[in-house]
Amino acid sequence: MKKISISVLTAISVLLASLALNPVEAAQADASVEEKAESRETVNKNFRDIQGHWAQAAINDAIQRGYVDGYPDGRFLPNHQVSRAEFIKMAVSAMDIELGSSSSGSWYTPYVKAAESAGIYKAGDFANNQLTQRMTREEMSKLAVKALGYKDVEDKQWMYLASKDGIISGTAPGVISPQGTTTRAQAIAVIERLLQVKNGKELPVDKYAVAAAEVYWHKTNIFSVAPEIFNGPDNNNKNVGIDSWKMSKLQFGATDGSVVAQVDELIAIDWNDPKDPNRKLLPSRDKLVWVFGAKSNVFTDDLQAYVIILKSHYLVNKKPKSYPIDRLSLNILGYNGKPNGSNLNIPYPIESKDPKRQVNGLVIPKTGFSTRGNLNVIVETIAAGARVYQSTLSRSILIR
């Protein structure tokens, strides 16, 4: 019987062991392989499982930079899930952050300490400190945003900032999947974009992802979808524009707690963008109208407008006779035009003629209007002879 070399037996043993690993153990094993890969040349730059892959170019750039590698069997495993520790290692290596000495701990300890020193990670950044668990897209965004130097970031704002800078895009139009898992390909794409932004490059932005991330962050997308109306260049202090929107304003009512109203979402839809993913909230065009008294106007394709949809309900309503309708009304104050029911020069209520798809909101003009210099977005209770409670959700400077 011919002798088999020890190295061959070892390789076979490692292969068989990897087949028996559960997903988390496999992720840890991958990290070990990648650690060893740093000390050897890539066996095959043309990994067979990245040919035609959406991230092929980014993967090749990452391999060229030397912060990630493939496997000796000719595969790269671009769709393999990435752990938190693996992402930290790749990010630290890609940004050339100096590693400190570490004589104890896991393989990832030096990288975690380097990330902490660089300010892109700290204990508590994840739901728990189990770094070998799979990384979510929101966690990946959090580290990327920290690496860009953002400070004083609010809870759930990470994906908004990352998408606004072109670091992440949606998993589908208008879908950001915060708790979605992160693959090797996705991690590399994010790191490559991060490096480009840090070098001063302006990246293309997925506007639908930005809008969805804004909703995830603070329950509205009006500042992303209609920035020229609600977040123009004159809105440059903490009291106006996007900074005037506070989650605390979304809940209001009677001081004794007998009536408590809740704004669930305030969604802007670009009527002139047929691909706007939130068009699905509206009925078909022939069943959507804007109204002035008894007069109804159908929506036309050339109507230059935004549709603003309010979703709301009562958390507490101990006075149902006084507040019989379980929703709030929406007003946007500050327009100068006079209502005539024919020209869209101020906000008008909208109605759905489809009983299966009712909407509550306003249509506002993009052009042909003037203002008093500012706009206030206000929601209020619909009362039957009782006190009306209201909350000003945002204030924006708009001089037209």
Side-chain angles (χ1 to χ4, degrees), residues 156-170:
K156 291 189 174 183
Q157 192 181 4
W158 307 104
M159 298 194 81
Y160 170 75
L161 294 172
S163 58
K164 185 171 66 71
D165 284 344
I167 300 296
I168 67 166
S169 55

Side-chain angles (χ1 to χ4, degrees), residues 265-303:
E265 288 181 345
L266 188 67
I267 304 297
I269 303 167
D270 186 345
W271 178 250
N272 306 111
D273 180 4
K275 295 183 179 180
D276 188 318
N278 285 312
R279 286 286 287 262
K280 65 180 181 290
L281 300 176
L282 301 175
S284 58
R285 189 189 67 176
D286 61 319
K287 294 185 178 180
L288 181 65
V289 299
W290 53 282
V291 298
F292 175 65
K295 183 177 181 181
S296 296
N297 298 273
V298 296
F299 275 71
T300 58
D301 289 336
D302 60 351
L303 182 69

Side-chain angles (χ1 to χ4, degrees), residues 8-65:
V8 172
L9 287 172
T10 301
I12 293 173
S13 299
V14 170
L15 176 61
L16 292 174
S18 67
L19 293 175
L21 294 177
N22 63 40
V24 174
E25 291 170 332
Q28 297 176 24
D30 287 343
S32 178
V33 171
E34 288 185 1
E35 285 291 300
K36 294 175 182 177
E38 290 185 350
S39 63
R40 62 170 174 78
E41 294 183 355
T42 303
V43 174
N44 181 4
K45 294 292 184 183
N46 298 315
F47 299 108
R48 62 178 182 268
D49 56 353
I50 68 170
Q51 303 307 310
H53 194 278
W54 65 267
Q56 181 177 354
I59 291 170
N60 286 331
D61 288 343
I63 293 171
Q64 187 67 31
R65 296 182 197 277

Side-chain angles (χ1 to χ4, degrees), residues 134-342:
R134 300 184 185 94
M135 169 168 268
T136 67
R137 285 169 50 80
E138 183 173 20
E139 291 168 345
M140 178 172 60
S141 299
K142 188 173 189 176
L143 266 63
V145 166
K146 284 192 167 189
L148 291 177
Y150 281 98
K151 306 293 183 183
D152 301 322
V153 179
E154 295 180 12
D155 184 37
K156 291 189 174 183
Q157 192 181 4
W158 307 104
M159 298 194 81
Y160 170 75
L161 294 172
S163 58
K164 185 171 66 71
D165 284 344
I167 300 296
I168 67 166
S169 55
T171 55
V175 180
I176 55 171
S177 306
Q179 301 309 310
T181 55
T182 301
T183 65
R184 279 164 60 83
Q186 291 169 340
I188 289 168
V190 165
I191 291 172
E192 287 296 306
R193 294 168 190 163
L194 170 62
L195 296 175
Q196 293 177 62
V197 173
K198 288 180 71 67
N199 287 331
K201 184 176 181 180
E202 185 173 338
L203 300 181
V205 172
D206 180 349
K207 65 179 182 180
Y208 301 139
V210 177
E214 188 186 349
V215 174
Y216 179 70
W217 164 31
H218 61 192
K219 306 298 184 182
T220 192
N221 65 0
I222 63 172
F223 305 104
S224 298
V225 175
E228 77 279 17
I229 304 294
F230 299 106
N231 198 41
D234 291 326
N235 295 277
N236 52 15
N237 66 62
K238 294 295 183 181
N239 298 316
V240 292
I242 193 170
D243 291 319
S244 70
W245 183 278
K246 304 297 180 185
M247 292 290 287
S248 59
K249 297 179 181 180
L250 304 188
Q251 191 175 115
F252 62 97
T255 55
D256 63 1
S258 60
V259 177
V260 181
Q262 173 71 50
V263 173
D264 300 315
E265 288 181 345
L266 188 67
I267 304 297
I269 303 167
D270 186 345
W271 178 250
N272 306 111
D273 180 4
K275 295 183 179 180
D276 188 318
N278 285 312
R279 286 286 287 262
K280 65 180 181 290
L281 300 176
L282 301 175
S284 58
R285 189 189 67 176
D286 61 319
K287 294 185 178 180
L288 181 65
V289 299
W290 53 282
V291 298
F292 175 65
K295 183 177 181 181
S296 296
N297 298 273
V298 296
F299 275 71
T300 58
D301 289 336
D302 60 351
L303 182 69
Q304 298 296 306
Y306 293 109
V307 179
I308 313 295
I309 299 294
L310 173 64
K311 298 180 181 181
S312 61
H313 72 288
Y314 285 104
L315 288 174
V316 179
N317 187 0
K318 296 180 180 180
K319 301 177 181 179
K321 292 183 178 180
S322 297
Y323 304 93
I325 302 175
D326 190 26
R327 65 174 175 83
L328 303 173
S329 67
L330 173 66
N331 292 292
I332 302 178
L333 306 181
Y335 288 86
N336 276 334
K338 294 182 179 180
N340 56 33
S342 298

Side-chain angles (χ1 to χ4, degrees), residues 52-184:
H53 194 278
W54 65 267
Q56 181 177 354
I59 291 170
N60 286 331
D61 288 343
I63 293 171
Q64 187 67 31
R65 296 182 197 277
Y67 67 85
V68 72
D69 209 340
Y71 298 90
D73 64 356
R75 296 182 302 161
F76 186 82
L77 301 181
N79 300 321
H80 195 80
Q81 293 177 349
V82 169
S83 70
R84 296 159 170 172
E86 289 173 311
F87 184 85
I88 290 174
K89 173 192 177 296
M90 286 191 287
V92 166
S93 301
M95 289 187 287
D96 294 323
I97 299 174
E98 185 177 354
L99 299 180
S101 59
S102 178
S103 58
S104 61
S106 303
W107 64 265
Y108 52 78
T109 300
Y111 299 98
V112 172
K113 289 185 175 180
E116 289 175 330
S117 297
I120 65 175
Y121 167 77
K122 72 177 188 311
D125 275 347
F126 306 131
N128 54 52
N129 289 323
Q130 297 182 26
L131 295 177
T132 56
Q133 285 191 355
R134 300 184 185 94
M135 169 168 268
T136 67
R137 285 169 50 80
E138 183 173 20
E139 291 168 345
M140 178 172 60
S141 299
K142 188 173 189 176
L143 266 63
V145 166
K146 284 192 167 189
L148 291 177
Y150 281 98
K151 306 293 183 183
D152 301 322
V153 179
E154 295 180 12
D155 184 37
K156 291 189 174 183
Q157 192 181 4
W158 307 104
M159 298 194 81
Y160 170 75
L161 294 172
S163 58
K164 185 171 66 71
D165 284 344
I167 300 296
I168 67 166
S169 55
T171 55
V175 180
I176 55 171
S177 306
Q179 301 309 310
T181 55
T182 301
T183 65
R184 279 164 60 83

